[in-house]
Every structure is written in structure tokens, then in C-alpha cells.
Amino acid sequence: MTENKKQKKWIRFRHRVVRNIAYVILYPYSRIKYRIHIEKFKEQKNTPYLILLNHQTPFDQFFVGMSFKGPIYYLATEDIFSMGWLSSLIRYLVAPIPIKKQTSDVKAVKQCIRVAREGGTICIAPEGNRTYSGRTEYMNDSIASLAKMLKLPIALYRIEGGYGAEPRWSDVVRKGKMRGYVSQVIEPDEYKNMSNEELFGIIEKGLYVDEAVADCEFHHKKRAEYLERAMYVCPFCGISRFESENEFCECKNCGAKIEYTPTKEIKGVNCEFPFRFVADWYDYQKDFINKLDVNEYVSAPIYHDEADVFEVIINKKKVPFKSGTQISLYGDKIVFDEGMSDETKLSFDEISAVSVLGRNKANIYFGDKVYQLKGDKRFNALKYVHIYYRHKNITKGNECEQFLGL
């Protein structure tokens, strides 16, 4: 054949039908579950947009969809596309744009350009992660260059109160107040002569939300449960384990116990806890790891865990690799079932990225394979990301680098 087969359109009429049906169901559900005030974007008309949002809850994409008319094409990680028939159904119904998390994905960029040329609205969370702390996470400045390629009006969509209602580390939604709205529109004529740095500065400032304030109460009897998915460094005894129940969380090493209050503040129960908000504690934890010499932990592990391990066949399915696996986290490697005949050793030098998916799953990109760790409800996947990036920064001679993967 001398000519390539004509490429099918990404945008389909059924996407609009699915969106309208979903709106009827999800709008009242969202109002009841999250008590969110969703503001309609009345200026949209028939114009396609690049929507950029801060990422707070697993329901954020639906909040955006209820503010805008018509279908929206969301960037989604490979986890969504590796669930067999369910992934095929999602593709058919809403056609999200696949992107590989924590890596540069040229194919995703090309597909965004394709959707934009077809007149579609695209939605991206530049953080690439839901916040663990309540403060907007690190954003890659490449979002500015992508926006310039797409040449669409940019709508900055702010979600406020989401961390109070449903922190990433929690399984429950608390009763409080939320808001979702377009805070700013940047037209192509406004940004075409800007440098990427200038445009990125506007995006970063426009999407930054700090929930480390006692501005509203969020009520639930299990408001501290699974805080240990985010926190693994104790201010009194260092790297540790925590266990939570209802409104309390306790260090299993030294016994320090805190209460997570309805105002999102934390206070010591049997100690003078040095932090007022989880965000302050989270910043201390990152600072602790950024001062840690992980090279001291190449002979003895920093941490032991138990989890099921899957091999992710990208865009297809997940295959069980090892169940009930003993995992050893070192300063330079991750080892599955150490000392056993089927031991698997993953050197950080051969790992290209480690990422957290959802509340507490970890993906490890090792050569041409992707392994996923899925532990119990108390499993902390975040420490694998932090330790890996600390090692990476040191080996590159960037010991003062603060970025730890999120």
C-alpha cells in the first residue's frame, strides 16, 4: 500500500451522549456526597478549551465535566488502560488520552494535538498527582510548551475544599464544603508572545491551593484513618510505622499519638506535637528524606513491607507476579522475597521511574517491565517514590535537589 489508511476521528458523537447521561446522574450525586458548589462556565459557548486543574479528589474530573458543556478529553494514566475489558469500555465511552506517569510521553502530546485539531476540549491536571498534604503539588513546566502547541484558550479550574472533604490518604468523604470553578481564562492572543516561563508562572500561581488553614470543618468519625499512607517519618524517632483508627494516629515505634480534628488541624494526645497541619508534617518528612544519606542503607533495608506484586502489561491488563511478597526497600534497590530461591532484585540504576497511583499503589518502571505493588489498606507507597528519587538526586550529584517525585 502506498498510502496510509485514513486515521479515524478521536471525537465521536457518542461521547456527547455519554456526557449528558453522566451529568444527569453525577450532578445530584456530587452535590449530596461532596456538598460541592459547582459553577457553570457560562462563557464557554462552542469554543474548545485546554482545562488545567489542581488535583484534590478522585472525583475531580466529574466536577470539571459538570462545569463545562459537551465532552471533555482527559489525560489518564496507564492504570486506567490496563484493566482488560473495563479499559476497552472506558475507551469506547469517553476516549481518555493515555499518558505514562512520571515519564515524558511524546505519543500523549501528539494525541492532544490531534484532539485539539478536531475541535475537542482537553483537560489536564499539571500536578499529575493528587495532593497528599493539601497544598498543590509540584507541576512540570512542560505544561506551558504543550499549551502553546495546542493554541487553545486556557481555563484554569480551581477545586477548593477537596482535601478537607477527601484527603488522598483517606477512604471516606467528610461532611464539609467544596467549590469548583473556572478562576481565570488565558486567551491565545494573551500568551502567544509570552515565554514558557512567564506562562508557566501564571498557570502555577492560578492553580495553587493551600488547604493548611482552619477555614472550615469537615466531619467524620474516621477522619484520621489511613494517614499512614502518607506519613512514614516521626518527628520524634525518624523513619517509622504508624497505625490509625477513627480520629487518632499513633507511631508504632515511640507511641506518639495525635488527633486529626474536624478543622484539619492535628494535635498531640500524649505529646507536644510540633506541627499544626498535615502539610507542615509532610514538608518536614520531605526535608528529612532530602537530608538522608541513602547510601548508608545499601547493606540493610530501610523498610520491610508485604504486598501483592503485579506485572502491568501497558494498555492491556495486570498479571499477578507474586502474592504476599516480602518487599525490602534499600537505599539503592527494591528486593522481592529476599533470600528465597525466586528473589527479584530491582536496582535503582535500572529503574527509570517510581510513581504512586490512587491512594496507595506503587508502579516501578524497570527496563521494559512495569511492576505494581498493592499492599493492604495501611500500605505506604509514597516512601518508595521518595527514597528512589533521593537516590537518583545523589547519584546525579544533585544532593541539594528538593524534588522527590511528587
Side-chain angles (χ1 to χ4, degrees):
M1 293 180 67
T2 56
E3 292 184 10
N4 291 329
K5 198 172 181 179
K6 189 175 180 181
Q7 192 176 48
K8 291 182 180 179
K9 283 196 170 184
W10 194 282
I11 297 174
R12 302 297 183 90
F13 176 73
R14 64 174 176 267
H15 302 156
R16 184 174 295 274
V17 175
V18 170
R19 182 267 170 200
N20 292 340
I21 293 172
Y23 179 89
V24 172
I25 299 168
L26 294 174
Y27 184 78
Y29 176 81
S30 299
R31 293 296 304 274
I32 293 168
K33 184 174 181 179
Y34 287 94
R35 300 191 178 189
I36 184 171
H37 174 62
I38 300 170
E39 297 181 15
K40 301 285 181 65
F41 182 49
K42 296 177 182 178
E43 295 80 8
Q44 181 184 3
K45 299 180 181 178
N46 294 316
T47 305
Y49 281 82
L50 170 62
I51 306 167
L52 304 179
L53 74 152
N54 62 301
H55 201 2
Q56 292 193 335
T57 82
F59 228 66
D60 290 349
Q61 65 271 25
F62 299 113
F63 303 147
V64 173
M66 287 179 270
S67 288
F68 286 78
K69 297 183 295 183
I72 297 173
Y73 298 91
Y74 301 89
L75 257 71
T77 62
E78 67 269 19
D79 206 46
I80 294 292
F81 299 94
S82 305
M83 301 186 294
W85 67 269
L86 184 57
S87 296
S88 298
L89 180 62
I90 292 170
R91 275 199 187 92
Y92 179 81
L93 294 176
V94 294
I97 301 167
I99 186 170
K100 293 179 181 177
K101 200 167 187 178
Q102 301 290 79
T103 60
S104 299
D105 195 336
V106 176
K107 187 176 180 182
V109 172
K110 289 180 178 178
Q111 289 173 333
C112 285
I113 294 170
R114 175 181 166 188
V115 172
R117 285 176 177 169
E118 290 183 22
T121 289
I122 298 166
C123 183
I124 303 172
E127 296 164 88
N129 275 285
R130 282 173 62 193
T131 174
Y132 271 106
S133 68
R135 292 181 178 137
T136 301
E137 296 280 7
Y138 166 87
M139 297 182 194
N140 193 313
D141 58 8
S142 62
I143 190 65
S145 58
L146 174 61
K148 285 195 163 189
M149 282 186 227
L150 299 181
K151 300 177 182 178
L152 296 173
I154 302 169
L156 300 184
Y157 192 89
R158 286 174 65 90
I159 297 173
E160 299 170 354
Y163 182 81
E166 189 178 12
R168 184 175 184 177
W169 42 265
S170 177
D171 279 351
V172 299
V173 178
R174 301 99 192 282
K175 293 180 180 178
K177 291 182 181 179
M178 286 186 64
R179 184 187 180 198
Y181 65 103
V182 174
S183 63
Q184 184 178 356
V185 173
I186 314 168
E187 297 289 348
D189 284 345
E190 292 180 65
Y191 67 73
K192 68 179 181 182
N193 293 323
M194 290 182 187
S195 67
N196 287 348
E197 291 76 15
E198 289 173 317
L199 178 56
F200 179 68
I202 294 171
I203 293 169
E204 191 175 37
K205 182 179 179 181
L207 294 181
Y208 184 77
V209 174
D210 186 355
E211 298 281 341
V213 288
D215 57 346
C216 181
E217 291 193 1
F218 296 88
H219 290 275
H220 199 286
K221 67 179 182 180
K222 296 182 178 180
R223 56 183 178 267
E225 281 201 1
Y226 306 127
L227 183 55
E228 59 267 42
R229 291 171 176 170
M231 308 312 302
Y232 61 93
V233 173
C234 174
F236 303 112
C237 63
I239 293 176
S240 183
R241 290 183 183 275
F242 293 87
E243 191 168 305
S244 59
E245 184 177 5
N246 295 330
E247 69 269 40
F248 302 108
C249 185
E250 182 178 356
C251 175
K252 301 308 291 180
N253 282 353
C254 70
K257 189 174 184 179
I258 59 113
E259 178 186 358
Y260 186 89
T261 71
T263 59
K264 300 174 287 184
E265 293 170 286
I266 50 178
K267 61 181 183 180
V269 175
N270 59 358
C271 61
E272 288 292 328
F273 205 69
F275 310 114
R276 184 182 174 194
F277 293 98
V278 170
D280 304 321
W281 186 7
Y282 185 81
D283 286 345
Y284 168 83
Q285 178 170 271
K286 290 194 296 182
D287 187 54
F288 182 96
I289 297 302
N290 275 320
K291 293 175 181 175
L292 187 69
D293 184 359
V294 293
N295 292 322
E296 293 181 1
Y297 297 92
V298 297
S299 300
I302 300 171
Y303 228 90
H304 286 293
D305 275 313
E306 183 175 310
D308 293 333
V309 181
F310 298 84
E311 185 176 344
V312 181
I313 312 301
I314 299 295
N315 296 333
K316 291 184 180 180
K317 59 184 178 180
K318 300 173 193 174
V319 179
F321 182 69
K322 289 184 176 184
S323 298
T325 307
Q326 297 298 316
I327 302 169
S328 302
L329 172 61
Y330 287 80
D332 64 342
K333 59 186 172 291
I334 298 169
V335 182
F336 302 155
D337 287 332
E338 187 170 21
M340 300 180 69
S341 58
D342 58 346
E343 172 185 293
T344 303
K345 188 179 296 184
L346 309 180
S347 168
F348 285 170
D349 292 335
E350 298 177 74
I351 292 174
S352 58
V354 181
S355 64
V356 182
L357 292 91
R359 294 178 176 91
N360 66 333
K361 293 182 289 186
N363 266 20
I364 303 167
Y365 300 80
F366 182 74
D368 60 352
K369 295 184 181 294
V370 180
Y371 295 106
Q372 185 171 106
L373 311 184
K374 186 176 181 181
D376 64 13
K377 283 184 171 290
R378 301 187 187 280
F379 180 69
N380 183 304
L382 184 61
K383 62 182 179 288
Y384 290 87
V385 179
H386 284 175
I387 297 298
Y388 166 74
Y389 278 92
R390 177 57 179 161
H391 173 272
K392 186 176 179 180
N393 291 339
I394 291 174
T395 54
K396 285 187 172 182
N398 298 327
E399 288 195 38
C400 296
E401 171 62 54
Q402 299 296 298
F403 179 62
L404 291 174
L406 274 83

